[in-house]
Amino acid sequence: MIVVVDFLIVNALLYLLTEYHPWFARWTPMKVRTLVLLSNIGLIIGEYLNPPIIQKRVISSGDIVKRVLQLSLLQGFFALFFMKMLYLGFVGGRFQAVFCVIEMITILISRYFERQVIKKYRSVGGNIRHATFIGADTELLHIYYRLTEDMTMGYRINGYYSDGEMPEDEMNEQRHHADKLKKLGTLQYFLENLNHPEKLEVGDELYVCLSRRKKDTIRRLSNFCDQNVVRFYLVPVNVEMLDIGLKRELIDDIEVFSTYENPLKNPFNKYIKRISDIFLSILFL
């Protein structure tokens, strides 16, 4: 549905511009139809490479803006590229740049309203996802508050399995009058019933917070999730975490962590640089 709205927006903008902008007065009907067709093809490519993400439960406004910017750049780039291929000497770089800006602003506005509709639907009980925790660590409490503090995210927490208890003082201090996180059983009970999932309250997602020393247990839980179509998340134990901004890197097949990150290693930055180079090259041809 979100993609359909994008196509309606782009085609509505194209209609208004081609009908009322004086630059198109000298265009033949065939050339206008070609522009509309190629603009839609560019949008198809853009939607394929950058599908909408506003339906995700945890997402920032910055991520939405980045995705819409990528979509607009891709649509504009391919529309302009195809027009130059069909009509040698075609000069439309400035128009396409202006169109991309208008397109981006309009789609961003639509994304805001679409996001509000999705949130409202989830807040009244639609599109709910159930999650279960494994372990008893304060990091799970942070996730618990993050997922349940805003009901529009559409999460319901079944409870947790652990041989220990959640830290009561921590939970009472941070939960903001939320219902107490329910203990569903021990970790041993969960492991003993991996072959009988009907006896377990798992839900759609499983968040596991166990020490790395329990590799075999973590592996068994991961395999269980794969076999039962449950999303598996491994949460680092609080005492094993460091307050340092570390970035994951690979040296051959060895995993290491570094405090330095090359800006061009960010796929978005690299992608924007490449598209900008190509777009500006075509613009000044």
Side-chain angles (χ1 to χ4, degrees):
M1 186 61 184
I2 298 171
V3 175
V4 173
V5 173
D6 291 347
F7 275 92
L8 291 176
I9 289 174
V10 169
N11 283 278
L13 291 175
L14 286 171
Y15 173 78
L16 292 174
L17 288 172
T18 55
E19 284 291 322
Y20 300 104
H21 196 286
W23 189 58
F24 292 95
R26 295 169 296 175
W27 282 40
T28 64
M30 176 60 70
K31 191 173 182 180
V32 172
R33 287 194 294 268
T34 302
L35 174 66
V36 173
L37 174 62
L38 296 180
S39 296
N40 278 271
I41 293 175
L43 185 58
I44 291 174
I45 297 174
E47 295 284 0
Y48 176 77
L49 297 176
N50 293 279
I53 55 176
I54 63 168
Q55 72 278 4
K56 291 186 176 181
R57 297 169 192 276
V58 182
I59 187 175
S60 67
S61 300
D63 292 332
I64 296 176
V65 173
K66 286 180 181 179
R67 188 57 63 98
V68 173
L69 175 60
Q70 292 173 11
L71 175 64
S72 301
L73 287 176
L74 279 174
Q75 188 276 329
F77 167 75
F78 282 106
L80 182 60
F81 175 76
F82 292 142
M83 285 295 291
K84 283 185 173 290
M85 292 290 290
L86 286 178
Y87 297 93
L88 297 178
F90 174 78
V91 180
R94 293 182 180 178
F95 160 76
Q96 198 63 55
V98 173
F99 182 81
C100 283
V101 173
I102 298 174
E103 175 189 3
M104 183 182 69
I105 294 174
T106 309
I107 292 180
L108 277 176
I109 294 173
S110 73
R111 288 288 189 272
Y112 171 79
F113 288 105
E114 290 162 353
R115 184 66 176 170
Q116 297 307 309
V117 170
I118 293 173
K119 284 185 173 183
K120 182 64 176 179
Y121 179 63
R122 288 171 177 165
S123 67
V124 297
N127 193 219
I128 296 299
R129 291 188 71 84
H130 294 270
T132 300
F133 297 156
I134 299 291
D137 190 88
T138 54
E139 290 304 314
L140 287 176
L141 290 177
H142 298 157
I143 294 177
Y144 172 66
Y145 303 133
R146 180 73 173 86
L147 297 181
T148 59
E149 189 175 25
D150 185 359
M151 296 298 292
T152 62
M153 293 178 64
Y155 273 100
R156 301 293 184 270
I157 308 301
N158 295 328
Y160 71 98
Y161 290 90
S162 175
D163 294 332
E165 301 289 334
M166 282 289 183
E168 289 288 340
D169 55 337
E170 182 84 12
M171 185 160 58
N172 290 333
E173 179 183 354
Q174 299 184 19
R175 69 183 182 188
H176 306 301
H177 307 294
D179 293 334
K180 184 176 180 180
L181 189 57
K182 177 184 176 183
K183 184 172 182 177
L184 303 173
T186 64
L187 174 59
Q188 186 62 33
Y189 173 81
F190 192 95
L191 295 175
E192 290 174 351
N193 289 278
L194 289 180
N195 294 325
H196 304 282
E198 68 279 359
K199 296 182 180 181
L200 303 172
E201 294 186 51
V202 180
D204 305 296
E205 299 179 359
L206 188 69
Y207 292 80
V208 178
C209 188
L210 298 174
S211 173
R212 294 182 180 181
R213 290 173 293 181
K214 297 183 178 181
K215 292 182 179 179
D216 292 337
T217 299
I218 295 173
R219 188 177 294 109
R220 289 180 62 189
L221 294 172
S222 175
N223 292 335
F224 168 80
C225 290
D226 293 339
Q227 294 169 5
N228 292 275
V229 198
V230 177
R231 295 198 67 174
F232 174 86
Y233 293 95
L234 181 61
V235 183
V237 177
N238 186 42
V239 297
E240 296 179 344
M241 297 182 68
L242 297 173
D243 293 328
I244 304 176
L246 297 175
K247 306 297 182 181
R248 178 178 178 271
E249 294 184 11
L250 289 176
I251 300 178
D252 197 6
D253 59 346
I254 302 174
E255 183 182 50
V256 297
F257 292 88
S258 171
T259 56
Y260 171 77
E261 181 181 20
N262 188 332
L264 290 181
K265 285 188 176 181
N266 185 319
F268 176 75
N269 293 338
K270 188 175 182 180
Y271 166 83
I272 291 298
K273 182 181 183 300
R274 183 62 57 83
I275 289 295
S276 299
D277 292 342
I278 298 175
F279 189 80
L280 291 174
S281 298
I282 294 179
L283 181 63
F284 291 105
L285 285 178

